[in-house]
């Protein structure tokens, strides 16, 4: 992932499905996690308005500015808020794999949530089962 | 699950235990997740006062009203707050399965958390191991 | 874990790595969870300033005092806030195990988060794979 903005949500369900199918595993669990501590992987609705609501809500819970309200930012970073936002949204999801497919409810989609973008980051997909 | 109210918590530990025992699996992991994005599965205390505290706390963090504060509600929904509350409470739990039982600490109980009820929803239980 | 203070974060990555190596499992998943409902296991940065920011942030989201704002505390406890803080930080992490090692991004470290300490608590590590 390499988002051009500080924050954003990207639907990564198709990529995860591709990895799942390539694995050949039919029954098991899939772990999908952000490998960076200012990013998140979560499951919610693929609706732009909601993503906008969510971003404004996170900004209210853990504001980016003023950056000097956070001790972490004394290290030269300005991303303390991103570490906290990721805590609300979570690092990972674990999804059931049934008959070779992600075992999802009607609206479940997997998102990568970026809170300190403009640099390259990775998502890990690990599949276990048979 | 089909709660008659908009919000509520239901202890689903006995149902999960039943599925675990029926599986015959002795050592492994159990994934329990809400299949709906305005509901949660989480582990906490089975104490009514705490559930009431939790509901009031979530309402303070992500208020239901005024509903027009959320762009998601312009789609005709009034449940944007439910999507955010579920994010705080989490979608899923993963529990260790040891000697055929949920490997729990003294007070751990699994709950279904509903934030936009009065309709039928499902919980998924997936067990891997041997 | 037995923290001398009410709240604190402890890096438990070395202990988890020790358990992983002793297991001999090369490919799989590792579940690490708090067995107590006023404690958390989470993954974030090992930076003191951030931990301090995080503690102040959680205190703002779910204040300890006044303790009589919570119905749970009518049971004789004073830890309702700890149950809520743990909900924000999460109960568990699931980590991929690849070639016998925790499959981590550059800054990922596993922490035990205590919100109602001064008593003995346990963390569970469960490994599946081969």
């Amino acid at each position: 992932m390499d988002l051009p903005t500080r924050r954003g949500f990207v639907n990564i369900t198709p990529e995860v499905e591709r990895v799942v199918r390539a694995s050949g595993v039919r029954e098991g669990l899939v772990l999908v996690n952000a490998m960076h501590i200012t990013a998140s992987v979560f499951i919610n609705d693929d609706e732009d308005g909601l993503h906008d609501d969510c971003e404004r809500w996170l900004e209210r819970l853990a504001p980016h500015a003023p950056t000097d309200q956070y001790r972490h930012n004394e290290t030269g970073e300005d991303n303390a808020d991103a570490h906290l936002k990721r805590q609300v949204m979570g690092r990972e999801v674990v999804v059931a794999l049934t008959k070779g497919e992600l075992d999802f409810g009607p609206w479940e989609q997997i998102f990568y949530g970026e809170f300190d973008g403009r640099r390259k980051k990775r998502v890990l997909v690990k599949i276990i089962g048979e």
Side-chain angles (χ1 to χ4, degrees), chain A residues 79-124:
Chain A
N79 63 7
D81 66 303
H83 288 274
L84 303 179
K85 284 166 172 141
R86 115 70 170 255
Q87 218 50 54
V88 176
M89 298 302 284
R91 165 187 179 261
E92 79 220 7
V93 296
V94 178
V95 181
L97 187 51
T98 303
K99 295 178 185 160
E101 302 282 343
L102 298 173
D103 200 340
F104 267 164
W107 300 102
E108 290 190 283
Q109 294 284 301
I110 307 175
F111 290 88
Y112 173 77
E114 178 62 82
F115 307 111
D116 185 35
R118 297 174 296 192
R119 49 176 130 171
K120 220 178 158 83
K121 295 188 181 177
R122 287 178 303 152
V123 169
L124 181 152

Side-chain angles (χ1 to χ4, degrees), chain A residues 71-79:
Chain A
R71 271 191 55 202
H72 180 59
N73 291 341
E74 294 171 13
T75 64
E77 300 279 0
D78 68 348
N79 63 7

Side-chain angles (χ1 to χ4, degrees), chain A residues 11-61:
Chain A
N11 188 334
I12 59 173
T13 317
E15 283 81 355
V16 176
E17 285 174 337
R18 214 169 295 140
V19 177
V20 164
R21 281 166 195 165
S23 76
V25 175
R26 304 278 303 162
E27 296 292 324
L29 295 179
V30 187
L31 167 70
V32 188
N33 70 263
M35 298 187 81
H36 300 260
I37 52 190
T38 52
S40 174
V41 169
F42 65 94
I43 288 175
N44 217 310
D45 199 358
D46 196 357
E47 201 277 301
D48 278 352
L50 182 67
H51 296 175
D52 194 55
D53 294 332
C54 191
E55 202 182 310
R56 283 183 294 120
W57 175 68
L58 289 169
E59 190 58 30
R60 189 159 58 75
L61 292 186

